[in-house]
Amino acid sequence: MDHETHDTEHHEEHHGEHSHLRLFIGVAIALAVLTGLSFSTEFLFENNIISKGMSWFLMMVVSCAKALLVIVYFMHLKWETNWKWVLTIPASVMSLFLVLMLIPDVGNRTNHYTRERLDHAALPTKPESDDHATTHDESHGTESDDLEDDANH
Amino acid sequence: MTAVTVDDAHGHGHPEMTLRQFINTYVFSKDHKIIGLQFLFTTLLWFLVGGLLALGIRWQLAFPWQSVPVIGNLLFAAEGGQMSPEFYTTLFTMHATVMIFFVIIPILAGAFGNYLIPLMIGADDMAFPTLNMLSYWFMWPAFFCIIMSFLNPPYGAGAGWTSYPPLSSVSEAAPGSASAQTWWLLAVTLVGVSSMMGSVNYMTTILQMRAPGLTMFRLPLTIWAMFITAILQAFALPVLTAAGFMQIFDRMAGSGFFVPEGLVINNADAESGGGQPLLWQHLFWFYSHPAVYIMILPAMGMVSDILACFARKPIFGYKPMVYSISGIAGLGFIVWGHHMFVSGMNPMLGLTFMVATMMIALPSAVKVFNWLGTIWGGDIKFTTPMLFALSFVSMFVIGGLSGIFMAATPVDIFIHDTYFIVAHFHYVLFSGTAMAVFGSIYFWFPKMFGRKMNETAGKWHFFLTFMFLNGTFFLMHILGAVGFPRRLADPYHYATFKHLLPMNQFITYCAIGMVASQVIFAANFFYSIFKGPKVGRNPWNANGLEWMAPSPPGHGNFDFQPIVYRGPYEYNSPEVETDFYPQTQPPPDGVEPAADEAH
Amino acid sequence: MAEEKHEHEDHEADAHDDHGHDDHGHDDHHGHIQLQYEDALPIRNGKVCLWLFLSTEIMFFAGLIGTYIVLRFGAPVGTWPTPHDVHVNPNVGALNTVILIISSFTVVLGLEFAKADKRREAKLAMLVTFIFGLLFIGIKLINEYPAKFSHGIYPSSEGLIHEQSNVYYTAAVRDTLKGWGAEQAAPVAAADSATDEAAEGAETAPPPPVESDGIMSDEARSLIEKIYYGGAKWTEYVAAEKPDGLDARDTMMSLAQIIYPLDRNSHAFAHYIEHEREVIERLRETASESPRAVELQQLLEQRDALLAVVASLPKTEHGNKGVNDYLHEDLHFHHIMPIHIPSGNMWAGTYFLLTGFHALHVLVGLIMFICILLTPCGKKEYGLIENCGLYWHFVDLVWIFLFPLLYLF
Ligand SMILES: [Cu+2]
C-alpha cells in the first residue's frame, strides 16, 4: 500500500527539513534557558530583589512560555489546521476553571480560621507577629512571614 | 464515486462454527454490534440487581425493622431476619452505584452508543474496534470489584454513592467504611477507565467516519447527543479518576487528602490529616454533575428520533435542538456546586453556581418545546416506543421543574437530603432515562435481532410501569416537602414523621408492582429474540441510515455504499409520494437536493 | 469531486494501517465492502484519538495539580515545608527537566528522520529518547525518592511525620526511644517509683535489642540514652511545669528541632536555648527540694550532655545537623525517630501523588519506545512515532509545571 499520505506530503510542502532542524534546536535551547530563568527568579527572591509572590508569578509565566513552545513547535500545532483550537482551548479553559473554582472553598479555607485555631495549628513560632507591618525584615524574613504577607494581600 | 464491492459472497454465518470462532465472534468480538449487545445484556442484568436492592430499601421504609422476606433469615438469622441500620446504608449506596455506574451510563453510551453510532453514520465499525472491545472488557474487573465490595465487610459500601469523606476516607473508622469501600472505589475508577476508552473512540468515529454527504448538521440527534456525551465524559471523568485515586490513597496509604487535621471518628484517630473534605465534594461533583447529563442526553437524542418517526413529522427546530444539547453540556460543567449548598461552601461561590444552574432551564425548555412542536399536528402512531417516548417528555417536565426548586439556594437548604431530592432524580433518571431506554429497546429491537417485539405485551408493560412509577415517585415529592429525610434507616424514630408510614407503604406496594411489571418486558424481550415476527430492513418506515442496513446488519454493516442526501427527519416531505424519505434515497429528477448546511 | 474522494479513501485506508497496532479489527475487512466516508479532519484517526486522549489527560492532571495548589496554599499560613525541609533538591529537579527537554527534542528528530525514511538515524534518535527517559526514572528512583524515604518522609497513617510538636509528638519520641532500649535499668526508676512513667518503665525490662543484626555502636547507644532522658523526658518534665501553653510548646519545639531541624525554627530555637540556660540554673538550685529530686538530677545531667552533643554536631548551612541525620548517616543507625514537619503529611501526599503519576506516565512512554525500537522506524512507522511523540511531549509538558510547583515554590 502506498504510504505517502496526503497528510505528510502536505507537511513537507510547508517547511523544508533543514530549517526545521534548526528551529527545533533553537526551541530546545530556549527551553533550557527558560528553565534557568525559573531558577534565577528563585535567586532574585533569595536576594530580596523580588517578593516570594512575584517569584512564583514569574516562574508560572516562564512555565507557560515553555509549555507554549513545546505545544506549538514540538507538538506541531503551529502547522495544524483549525481543529487545534477546538481541542486545546476547551481543555485549557476547563482545567483552569476547575482549579480556579477550588480556590475560594479549599484554597482560601484558612482565611476563615479563628485566631485560636491558628494558634494551636502547626504554626512554627508564637503568633506575636500579629501586626504584619514588620514583614520583610533585613534578614530575608522567615518563610512564615512571607506567606502571611501574601495571604493578606 | 463507485463503491468497491469486495467479495461479498462469504460473509458470515458459517454453519460449522468451532468453539474458537464462536469465542471470537460472540465473546471477544470487535464488532460494535456484538459489543453493544454485550453491554445491553450485562447492564440489563445489573438493572435487575439494582431493582432488587431498591426493594430492600422500600421494605425497610414501609415495614421498619420487620423480618425481611425471602433473604431475611438467610442474612440476618441472628436478628430474626431484621436488617441492620448498616445494611440499610449499604442498600441505598449500592442501589445508586449499580444503577448509575453499571446500568444507566453503560446502557446509554455502551449499549446504544456502540450499536447505533456506526450504523447511524454509515460506518462499517468503530474507528478502533480493539479499543472498543477493551472498553467492554474493562467493565468486568469493575464487576469483580463491586462484587468483592458485596462480599467484604460491611458487605457493600456504605458511604453513599457520593462517597463523602471523612467517613469514606478513613479506613475502618465506621461500619460503613470498611474494606468494601475500597473495593467500591476501585470499581468506580475502573468503570471510569472503560467509559474513557469508549468516549475517545466515539468522538473519533463520529468525527471521521460519516458516510459521504452526512455533514455534522445532517446527523441524527441521537448521534449528536452521543457525541456531546462523549465530550462530557472525556473532560469530566478524568477528574473523578484522579479524585478516586486520591481517596484510595487516603484509605490505603494514609495520605489524608480529604481528611481534616485532628479528626477522630468513632474513637479512631485519623492520624494523618491536613486535607479538606470539601475538596472531594468539588472534584466528585465536577464529574458527577456532568454525569447527570451523560445519563440523560443520549436518552433525549433517542427520544427525538422516536418522536419524529412516529409523529411522521420533521423534528421541530433541528438546529436549536443541537445547540441546546451543546448548551446543556457547556453549562453542565459550571454548575456542580449546586450539590454543595449546605456543605458550608463559600457563599459567593454558591450564588455563582445557583445562577448558572438556573440557566440550564433555558436549553432544557427549548428541548421540551421542540418535542411538543414535533408532535403538534403530527400523524401520531401510538406504538410502544412512541408511548415510552411521550412519557419521557412528560415525566422529564416534572423532573426538570422540581430541579429548578433545588437550584435555588434558599429552597435547597430546606429540601436538601429529603425525599424531594429522591423524587427529583428518579423522575429524571427512571421516568426519564429508563423509560427512554425501554422505548429505544422496542424501537431498535428489530434492527438488533431482525424480529419485532410483541406490541400488546409492550403496551401492557408501558401502562403498568407508567402507573406504578408515578405511584412510587410522585408521592416522594410530598414526603420531601414535609421534610422526610433520605438515607435514614428509620425516620419514624422521630415523631414528626410517624404519620408518613402509610404513604411509604403505598409507595412500597407501587415499587413492588413496578419491578413485577418488568417481568412482562423480560418475557417479551427473550421470547421475541427467538420467536418474534421477522421484519425487513425498515419496519417503522423511518429515514435513518441504520434502517437501510439489513436487519440484523452483517459484519461491516452495509451491503451497499450509503450516500446521504439529507437529514434524517424528512417525514411527509412534499418531494416524494411516501410519508418517509430515507437519507440515502436520491432526490427525484427536477428537485434540487436540500440546501447543504455549513460543514 | 471524485478524485478528491479517492484521495480521501487512500488516506483513510492508510490511517487504518498506520495505526495497525491498536486497530487489528480491520484485519478482517474481507467479506464486506470497503466503505467511503465524508471528508473529515485532515488527520489520521489515530492522531485524532490521541489528541482527544491528551485532552482527558489534561483534565486528569488538572485535577491533581489543582489539588496540590489548593492544599498547598490552603495549608495553615506558614506551615508548608520549604524544599530544604523535605530534602527536595531543586538542582536534581532542574537536571530532570533538562533531561526531559532533550528527550522531547530527540523524539522530534526521530520523527523528522522517520518522515525522510532515514531508518538508522530515526532509530538512534528513539534510542537516545529511551535512554533519557530511563535516566529520568533512574534519578527518581535512585536519588529523589530514597532521599525522602530515608528521612521518614512519606504519607502514612502510622508514619513518622508529626504535624505538630505537641505532647503526642513528645510521647511518640519517648516511646520510640524506649523501644530501642534507651531506658537504663537504672536506679532512677527504682528510686522514683512514684512517677507513672518510671513504674511503667520498670515493667518493661529488659529492653529489646533494636538492630536486627544486633550491632549498635556504643556511641549510638549513649546518644539514644541522652535523647531519651535529656530530650524526651526532660521536655515532658519542663512542659508540665510551664503554666503557659505556648511556652510549653516552645519546649517541645526544641525537642523536634534537635531531632529534625527546620529552617524556619532555627532562630526561635537558638533563642530558646539561650533562655533555657536560666531555667536549667533555676531548676538546679531548687532540685533538691523537688519531690522528684533524683529523676530531675538525672534529667539535668542528660540535658546538659545532650545540648553539648547537639552543639558539637556537624554544621550545615542552616545550623546544626539533626540528631536523626547524625545517627543515620554518621553512626549507621538504621532507625529514625518521629519527626515534626508542619503540613508534612500533606506535602508528602501531594508530592508523591503528582510525581508518582507523572513517573507512571514516563514508564508507559518507555514501554511505547521499546515497541517503536522493535519496528524498522521507517516512513511506515511515521504515524506510530508521531503518536508516541505527542504523548511524550505531553509528559514533558506536565513536568514543566511540576518542576517549579514542587521544587521551587
Ligand atoms: Cu447537579
Side-chain angles (χ1 to χ4, degrees), chain A residues 3 5 12 21 24 39 63 76 80 87 107 110 119 122 148, chain C residues 14 47 55 74 77 94 108-109 111 115 163 249 265 404 408:
Chain A
H3 279 279
T5 61
E12 277 165 14
L21 190 63
F24 288 143
F39 248 112
S63 283
H76 293 127
E80 301 289 2
L87 256 175
T110 49
D119 279 352
E148 260 169 40
Chain C
D14 199 48
K47 195 165 153 187
S55 325
V77 174
V108 176
L109 276 191
L111 188 64
K115 196 203 285 175
E163 304 280 314
R249 198 178 63 181
N265 287 349
L408 299 178

PDB file of all heavy atoms in Angstrom, chain A residues 3 5 12 21 24 39 63 76 80 87 107 110 119 122 148, chain C residues 14 47 55 74 77 94 108-109 111 115 163 249 265 404 408:
ATOM      1  N   HIS A   3       2.210   4.472   1.078  1.00  0.00           N
ATOM      2  CA  HIS A   3       2.147   5.127   2.387  1.00  0.00           C
ATOM      3  C   HIS A   3       2.461   6.595   2.358  1.00  0.00           C
ATOM      4  O   HIS A   3       2.579   7.240   3.384  1.00  0.00           O
ATOM      5  CB  HIS A   3       3.074   4.424   3.363  1.00  0.00           C
ATOM      6  CG  HIS A   3       2.411   3.217   3.910  1.00  0.00           C
ATOM      7  ND1 HIS A   3       1.506   3.293   4.929  1.00  0.00           N
ATOM      8  CD2 HIS A   3       2.455   1.939   3.520  1.00  0.00           C
ATOM      9  CE1 HIS A   3       1.053   2.088   5.155  1.00  0.00           C
ATOM     10  NE2 HIS A   3       1.613   1.259   4.320  1.00  0.00           N
ATOM     11  N   THR A   5       1.228   9.524   2.411  1.00  0.00           N
ATOM     12  CA  THR A   5      -0.116  10.071   2.636  1.00  0.00           C
ATOM     13  C   THR A   5      -0.166  11.511   2.188  1.00  0.00           C
ATOM     14  O   THR A   5       0.818  12.239   2.159  1.00  0.00           O
ATOM     15  CB  THR A   5      -0.488  10.030   4.116  1.00  0.00           C
ATOM     16  OG1 THR A   5       0.446  10.818   4.822  1.00  0.00           O
ATOM     17  CG2 THR A   5      -0.462   8.622   4.643  1.00  0.00           C
ATOM     18  N   GLU A  12       5.479  18.436   4.127  1.00  0.00           N
ATOM     19  CA  GLU A  12       6.784  18.736   3.572  1.00  0.00           C
ATOM     20  C   GLU A  12       6.738  19.970   2.702  1.00  0.00           C
ATOM     21  O   GLU A  12       7.714  20.705   2.609  1.00  0.00           O
ATOM     22  CB  GLU A  12       7.294  17.535   2.793  1.00  0.00           C
ATOM     23  CG  GLU A  12       7.942  16.527   3.729  1.00  0.00           C
ATOM     24  CD  GLU A  12       8.146  15.189   3.079  1.00  0.00           C
ATOM     25  OE1 GLU A  12       8.035  15.105   1.846  1.00  0.00           O
ATOM     26  OE2 GLU A  12       8.413  14.222   3.808  1.00  0.00           O
ATOM     27  N   LEU A  21      15.108  21.578  11.374  1.00  0.00           N
ATOM     28  CA  LEU A  21      16.049  21.057  12.359  1.00  0.00           C
ATOM     29  C   LEU A  21      16.593  22.194  13.201  1.00  0.00           C
ATOM     30  O   LEU A  21      16.641  22.138  14.421  1.00  0.00           O
ATOM     31  CB  LEU A  21      17.181  20.334  11.636  1.00  0.00           C
ATOM     32  CG  LEU A  21      18.116  19.535  12.532  1.00  0.00           C
ATOM     33  CD1 LEU A  21      17.343  18.423  13.211  1.00  0.00           C
ATOM     34  CD2 LEU A  21      19.262  18.972  11.722  1.00  0.00           C
ATOM     35  N   PHE A  24      14.062  23.431  15.636  1.00  0.00           N
ATOM     36  CA  PHE A  24      13.868  22.565  16.809  1.00  0.00           C
ATOM     37  C   PHE A  24      15.032  22.702  17.783  1.00  0.00           C
ATOM     38  O   PHE A  24      14.841  22.696  18.992  1.00  0.00           O
ATOM     39  CB  PHE A  24      13.705  21.109  16.380  1.00  0.00           C
ATOM     40  CG  PHE A  24      12.384  20.855  15.728  1.00  0.00           C
ATOM     41  CD1 PHE A  24      12.266  19.984  14.664  1.00  0.00           C
ATOM     42  CD2 PHE A  24      11.240  21.498  16.192  1.00  0.00           C
ATOM     43  CE1 PHE A  24      11.038  19.754  14.075  1.00  0.00           C
ATOM     44  CE2 PHE A  24      10.018  21.278  15.599  1.00  0.00           C
ATOM     45  CZ  PHE A  24       9.914  20.409  14.531  1.00  0.00           C
ATOM     46  N   PHE A  39      15.039  29.293  37.707  1.00  0.00           N
ATOM     47  CA  PHE A  39      15.982  29.247  38.803  1.00  0.00           C
ATOM     48  C   PHE A  39      16.365  30.653  39.253  1.00  0.00           C
ATOM     49  O   PHE A  39      16.462  30.944  40.439  1.00  0.00           O
ATOM     50  CB  PHE A  39      17.250  28.511  38.352  1.00  0.00           C
ATOM     51  CG  PHE A  39      17.401  27.215  39.042  1.00  0.00           C
ATOM     52  CD1 PHE A  39      17.281  26.024  38.353  1.00  0.00           C
ATOM     53  CD2 PHE A  39      17.660  27.181  40.402  1.00  0.00           C
ATOM     54  CE1 PHE A  39      17.401  24.830  38.995  1.00  0.00           C
ATOM     55  CE2 PHE A  39      17.788  25.983  41.044  1.00  0.00           C
ATOM     56  CZ  PHE A  39      17.652  24.801  40.344  1.00  0.00           C
ATOM     57  N   SER A  63       6.920  28.989  32.990  1.00  0.00           N
ATOM     58  CA  SER A  63       6.399  27.654  32.694  1.00  0.00           C
ATOM     59  C   SER A  63       5.408  27.701  31.543  1.00  0.00           C
ATOM     60  O   SER A  63       5.416  26.827  30.673  1.00  0.00           O
ATOM     61  CB  SER A  63       5.704  27.077  33.921  1.00  0.00           C
ATOM     62  OG  SER A  63       6.653  26.634  34.836  1.00  0.00           O
ATOM     63  N   HIS A  76       3.860  20.253  17.016  1.00  0.00           N
ATOM     64  CA  HIS A  76       3.491  20.605  15.643  1.00  0.00           C
ATOM     65  C   HIS A  76       2.183  21.365  15.519  1.00  0.00           C
ATOM     66  O   HIS A  76       1.608  21.412  14.443  1.00  0.00           O
ATOM     67  CB  HIS A  76       3.386  19.337  14.776  1.00  0.00           C
ATOM     68  CG  HIS A  76       4.691  18.671  14.571  1.00  0.00           C
ATOM     69  ND1 HIS A  76       4.884  17.333  14.845  1.00  0.00           N
ATOM     70  CD2 HIS A  76       5.879  19.130  14.145  1.00  0.00           C
ATOM     71  CE1 HIS A  76       6.136  17.016  14.591  1.00  0.00           C
ATOM     72  NE2 HIS A  76       6.761  18.090  14.171  1.00  0.00           N
ATOM     73  N   GLU A  80      -0.738  22.762  12.218  1.00  0.00           N
ATOM     74  CA  GLU A  80      -2.020  22.063  12.088  1.00  0.00           C
ATOM     75  C   GLU A  80      -3.098  23.039  11.636  1.00  0.00           C
ATOM     76  O   GLU A  80      -2.950  24.252  11.772  1.00  0.00           O
ATOM     77  CB  GLU A  80      -2.434  21.444  13.437  1.00  0.00           C
ATOM     78  CG  GLU A  80      -1.447  20.446  14.004  1.00  0.00           C
ATOM     79  CD  GLU A  80      -1.403  19.149  13.225  1.00  0.00           C
ATOM     80  OE1 GLU A  80      -2.109  19.031  12.205  1.00  0.00           O
ATOM     81  OE2 GLU A  80      -0.629  18.250  13.629  1.00  0.00           O
ATOM     82  N   LEU A  87      -9.775  21.756  20.064  1.00  0.00           N
ATOM     83  CA  LEU A  87      -9.360  20.812  21.107  1.00  0.00           C
ATOM     84  C   LEU A  87      -8.675  21.476  22.281  1.00  0.00           C
ATOM     85  O   LEU A  87      -8.966  21.208  23.437  1.00  0.00           O
ATOM     86  CB  LEU A  87      -8.394  19.798  20.496  1.00  0.00           C
ATOM     87  CG  LEU A  87      -9.023  18.448  20.255  1.00  0.00           C
ATOM     88  CD1 LEU A  87      -8.044  17.552  19.550  1.00  0.00           C
ATOM     89  CD2 LEU A  87      -9.450  17.835  21.567  1.00  0.00           C
ATOM     90  N   GLY A 107      -8.807  26.477  48.706  1.00  0.00           N
ATOM     91  CA  GLY A 107      -7.540  27.193  48.762  1.00  0.00           C
ATOM     92  C   GLY A 107      -7.520  28.287  49.817  1.00  0.00           C
ATOM     93  O   GLY A 107      -6.491  28.540  50.437  1.00  0.00           O
ATOM     94  N   THR A 110      -8.150  28.603  55.128  1.00  0.00           N
ATOM     95  CA  THR A 110      -7.580  29.058  56.397  1.00  0.00           C
ATOM     96  C   THR A 110      -7.801  30.551  56.606  1.00  0.00           C
ATOM     97  O   THR A 110      -7.553  31.051  57.690  1.00  0.00           O
ATOM     98  CB  THR A 110      -6.074  28.762  56.459  1.00  0.00           C
ATOM     99  OG1 THR A 110      -5.495  29.219  55.251  1.00  0.00           O
ATOM    100  CG2 THR A 110      -5.823  27.286  56.634  1.00  0.00           C
ATOM    101  N   ASP A 119      -3.505  29.552  66.398  1.00  0.00           N
ATOM    102  CA  ASP A 119      -2.530  29.427  67.476  1.00  0.00           C
ATOM    103  C   ASP A 119      -2.201  27.977  67.735  1.00  0.00           C
ATOM    104  O   ASP A 119      -1.054  27.622  67.989  1.00  0.00           O
ATOM    105  CB  ASP A 119      -3.095  30.021  68.771  1.00  0.00           C
ATOM    106  CG  ASP A 119      -2.936  31.525  68.781  1.00  0.00           C
ATOM    107  OD1 ASP A 119      -2.259  32.031  67.871  1.00  0.00           O
ATOM    108  OD2 ASP A 119      -3.489  32.166  69.675  1.00  0.00           O
ATOM    109  N   ALA A 122      -0.393  23.927  63.421  1.00  0.00           N
ATOM    110  CA  ALA A 122       1.019  23.570  63.413  1.00  0.00           C
ATOM    111  C   ALA A 122       1.887  24.753  63.041  1.00  0.00           C
ATOM    112  O   ALA A 122       2.711  24.682  62.153  1.00  0.00           O
ATOM    113  CB  ALA A 122       1.231  22.430  62.438  1.00  0.00           C
ATOM    114  N   GLU A 148       2.447  34.859  55.178  1.00  0.00           N
ATOM    115  CA  GLU A 148       1.367  35.636  55.740  1.00  0.00           C
ATOM    116  C   GLU A 148       1.162  36.897  54.934  1.00  0.00           C
ATOM    117  O   GLU A 148       0.062  37.324  54.660  1.00  0.00           O
ATOM    118  CB  GLU A 148       1.689  35.994  57.188  1.00  0.00           C
ATOM    119  CG  GLU A 148       0.980  35.078  58.164  1.00  0.00           C
ATOM    120  CD  GLU A 148       1.463  35.234  59.565  1.00  0.00           C
ATOM    121  OE1 GLU A 148       1.704  36.374  59.963  1.00  0.00           O
ATOM    122  OE2 GLU A 148       1.609  34.216  60.246  1.00  0.00           O
TER     123      GLU A 148
ATOM    124  N   ASP C  14      -4.976   4.306   4.655  1.00  0.00           N
ATOM    125  CA  ASP C  14      -3.639   4.461   5.185  1.00  0.00           C
ATOM    126  C   ASP C  14      -3.686   4.654   6.693  1.00  0.00           C
ATOM    127  O   ASP C  14      -2.895   4.090   7.427  1.00  0.00           O
ATOM    128  CB  ASP C  14      -3.018   5.674   4.531  1.00  0.00           C
ATOM    129  CG  ASP C  14      -1.528   5.628   4.656  1.00  0.00           C
ATOM    130  OD1 ASP C  14      -0.983   4.569   4.357  1.00  0.00           O
ATOM    131  OD2 ASP C  14      -0.952   6.622   5.096  1.00  0.00           O
ATOM    132  N   LYS C  47      -4.387   9.889  15.264  1.00  0.00           N
ATOM    133  CA  LYS C  47      -3.957  11.155  15.823  1.00  0.00           C
ATOM    134  C   LYS C  47      -5.142  11.884  16.459  1.00  0.00           C
ATOM    135  O   LYS C  47      -4.994  12.482  17.535  1.00  0.00           O
ATOM    136  CB  LYS C  47      -3.336  11.999  14.715  1.00  0.00           C
ATOM    137  CG  LYS C  47      -2.532  13.159  15.223  1.00  0.00           C
ATOM    138  CD  LYS C  47      -1.663  13.697  14.094  1.00  0.00           C
ATOM    139  CE  LYS C  47      -1.358  15.163  14.305  1.00  0.00           C
ATOM    140  NZ  LYS C  47      -0.670  15.722  13.145  1.00  0.00           N
ATOM    141  N   SER C  55      -6.495  15.401  25.768  1.00  0.00           N
ATOM    142  CA  SER C  55      -7.398  16.331  26.469  1.00  0.00           C
ATOM    143  C   SER C  55      -7.878  15.716  27.771  1.00  0.00           C
ATOM    144  O   SER C  55      -7.979  16.408  28.785  1.00  0.00           O
ATOM    145  CB  SER C  55      -8.610  16.682  25.622  1.00  0.00           C
ATOM    146  OG  SER C  55      -8.283  16.746  24.278  1.00  0.00           O
ATOM    147  N   GLY C  74      -3.709  26.467  50.740  1.00  0.00           N
ATOM    148  CA  GLY C  74      -4.745  26.491  51.754  1.00  0.00           C
ATOM    149  C   GLY C  74      -4.258  25.943  53.080  1.00  0.00           C
ATOM    150  O   GLY C  74      -4.997  25.936  54.055  1.00  0.00           O
ATOM    151  N   VAL C  77      -1.289  29.112  57.396  1.00  0.00           N
ATOM    152  CA  VAL C  77      -0.262  30.032  56.909  1.00  0.00           C
ATOM    153  C   VAL C  77       1.106  29.705  57.503  1.00  0.00           C
ATOM    154  O   VAL C  77       1.256  29.540  58.708  1.00  0.00           O
ATOM    155  CB  VAL C  77      -0.658  31.470  57.268  1.00  0.00           C
ATOM    156  CG1 VAL C  77       0.453  32.430  56.902  1.00  0.00           C
ATOM    157  CG2 VAL C  77      -1.931  31.834  56.549  1.00  0.00           C
ATOM    158  N   ALA C  94      15.943  20.303  38.295  1.00  0.00           N
ATOM    159  CA  ALA C  94      16.329  21.009  37.068  1.00  0.00           C
ATOM    160  C   ALA C  94      17.024  20.058  36.106  1.00  0.00           C
ATOM    161  O   ALA C  94      16.786  20.086  34.900  1.00  0.00           O
ATOM    162  CB  ALA C  94      17.249  22.169  37.405  1.00  0.00           C
ATOM    163  N   VAL C 108      11.382  14.556  18.426  1.00  0.00           N
ATOM    164  CA  VAL C 108      11.083  15.350  17.233  1.00  0.00           C
ATOM    165  C   VAL C 108      12.056  15.006  16.114  1.00  0.00           C
ATOM    166  O   VAL C 108      11.663  14.837  14.955  1.00  0.00           O
ATOM    167  CB  VAL C 108      11.144  16.848  17.572  1.00  0.00           C
ATOM    168  CG1 VAL C 108      10.938  17.673  16.327  1.00  0.00           C
ATOM    169  CG2 VAL C 108      10.091  17.192  18.592  1.00  0.00           C
ATOM    170  N   LEU C 109      13.342  14.867  16.493  1.00  0.00           N
ATOM    171  CA  LEU C 109      14.336  14.478  15.499  1.00  0.00           C
ATOM    172  C   LEU C 109      13.978  13.141  14.875  1.00  0.00           C
ATOM    173  O   LEU C 109      13.994  12.977  13.658  1.00  0.00           O
ATOM    174  CB  LEU C 109      15.712  14.354  16.162  1.00  0.00           C
ATOM    175  CG  LEU C 109      16.535  15.620  16.343  1.00  0.00           C
ATOM    176  CD1 LEU C 109      17.942  15.230  16.761  1.00  0.00           C
ATOM    177  CD2 LEU C 109      16.569  16.392  15.037  1.00  0.00           C
ATOM    178  N   LEU C 111      11.184  11.745  14.579  1.00  0.00           N
ATOM    179  CA  LEU C 111      10.026  11.878  13.702  1.00  0.00           C
ATOM    180  C   LEU C 111      10.448  12.423  12.340  1.00  0.00           C
ATOM    181  O   LEU C 111      10.017  11.932  11.294  1.00  0.00           O
ATOM    182  CB  LEU C 111       9.013  12.801  14.361  1.00  0.00           C
ATOM    183  CG  LEU C 111       7.670  12.909  13.672  1.00  0.00           C
ATOM    184  CD1 LEU C 111       6.967  11.575  13.687  1.00  0.00           C
ATOM    185  CD2 LEU C 111       6.815  13.952  14.352  1.00  0.00           C
ATOM    186  N   LYS C 115      10.211  10.479   8.795  1.00  0.00           N
ATOM    187  CA  LYS C 115       9.488  11.049   7.659  1.00  0.00           C
ATOM    188  C   LYS C 115      10.333  10.938   6.398  1.00  0.00           C
ATOM    189  O   LYS C 115       9.843  10.633   5.322  1.00  0.00           O
ATOM    190  CB  LYS C 115       9.150  12.505   7.947  1.00  0.00           C
ATOM    191  CG  LYS C 115       8.086  13.052   7.014  1.00  0.00           C
ATOM    192  CD  LYS C 115       8.161  14.556   6.908  1.00  0.00           C
ATOM    193  CE  LYS C 115       7.617  15.251   8.131  1.00  0.00           C
ATOM    194  NZ  LYS C 115       7.806  16.706   8.037  1.00  0.00           N
ATOM    195  N   GLU C 163       2.487  16.539  62.584  1.00  0.00           N
ATOM    196  CA  GLU C 163       2.152  17.879  62.121  1.00  0.00           C
ATOM    197  C   GLU C 163       2.524  18.920  63.168  1.00  0.00           C
ATOM    198  O   GLU C 163       2.810  20.051  62.839  1.00  0.00           O
ATOM    199  CB  GLU C 163       0.648  17.979  61.845  1.00  0.00           C
ATOM    200  CG  GLU C 163       0.135  16.957  60.857  1.00  0.00           C
ATOM    201  CD  GLU C 163       0.406  17.360  59.416  1.00  0.00           C
ATOM    202  OE1 GLU C 163       0.154  18.521  59.081  1.00  0.00           O
ATOM    203  OE2 GLU C 163       0.885  16.508  58.660  1.00  0.00           O
ATOM    204  N   ARG C 249       4.880  24.777  74.440  1.00  0.00           N
ATOM    205  CA  ARG C 249       5.045  24.364  73.052  1.00  0.00           C
ATOM    206  C   ARG C 249       6.462  24.675  72.562  1.00  0.00           C
ATOM    207  O   ARG C 249       7.032  23.913  71.784  1.00  0.00           O
ATOM    208  CB  ARG C 249       4.019  25.076  72.182  1.00  0.00           C
ATOM    209  CG  ARG C 249       3.835  24.398  70.859  1.00  0.00           C
ATOM    210  CD  ARG C 249       2.794  25.075  70.041  1.00  0.00           C
ATOM    211  NE  ARG C 249       3.186  26.435  69.712  1.00  0.00           N
ATOM    212  CZ  ARG C 249       2.423  27.258  68.999  1.00  0.00           C
ATOM    213  NH1 ARG C 249       1.232  26.866  68.608  1.00  0.00           N
ATOM    214  NH2 ARG C 249       2.821  28.467  68.721  1.00  0.00           N
ATOM    215  N   ASN C 265      12.517  27.340  62.136  1.00  0.00           N
ATOM    216  CA  ASN C 265      12.549  27.369  63.583  1.00  0.00           C
ATOM    217  C   ASN C 265      13.938  27.629  64.148  1.00  0.00           C
ATOM    218  O   ASN C 265      14.109  27.668  65.355  1.00  0.00           O
ATOM    219  CB  ASN C 265      12.041  26.031  64.138  1.00  0.00           C
ATOM    220  CG  ASN C 265      10.544  25.895  63.972  1.00  0.00           C
ATOM    221  OD1 ASN C 265       9.883  26.871  63.634  1.00  0.00           O
ATOM    222  ND2 ASN C 265      10.024  24.709  64.193  1.00  0.00           N
ATOM    223  N   PRO C 404       8.578  23.772  38.767  1.00  0.00           N
ATOM    224  CA  PRO C 404       8.545  24.929  39.683  1.00  0.00           C
ATOM    225  C   PRO C 404       7.613  24.712  40.862  1.00  0.00           C
ATOM    226  O   PRO C 404       7.928  25.112  41.990  1.00  0.00           O
ATOM    227  CB  PRO C 404       8.073  26.084  38.793  1.00  0.00           C
ATOM    228  CG  PRO C 404       7.472  25.465  37.600  1.00  0.00           C
ATOM    229  CD  PRO C 404       8.117  24.136  37.420  1.00  0.00           C
ATOM    230  N   LEU C 408      10.543  24.525  43.416  1.00  0.00           N
ATOM    231  CA  LEU C 408      10.985  25.905  43.634  1.00  0.00           C
ATOM    232  C   LEU C 408      10.028  26.708  44.501  1.00  0.00           C
ATOM    233  O   LEU C 408      10.419  27.717  45.065  1.00  0.00           O
ATOM    234  CB  LEU C 408      11.162  26.608  42.292  1.00  0.00           C
ATOM    235  CG  LEU C 408      12.199  25.996  41.348  1.00  0.00           C
ATOM    236  CD1 LEU C 408      12.245  26.760  40.041  1.00  0.00           C
ATOM    237  CD2 LEU C 408      13.580  25.992  41.989  1.00  0.00           C
TER     238      LEU C 408
END
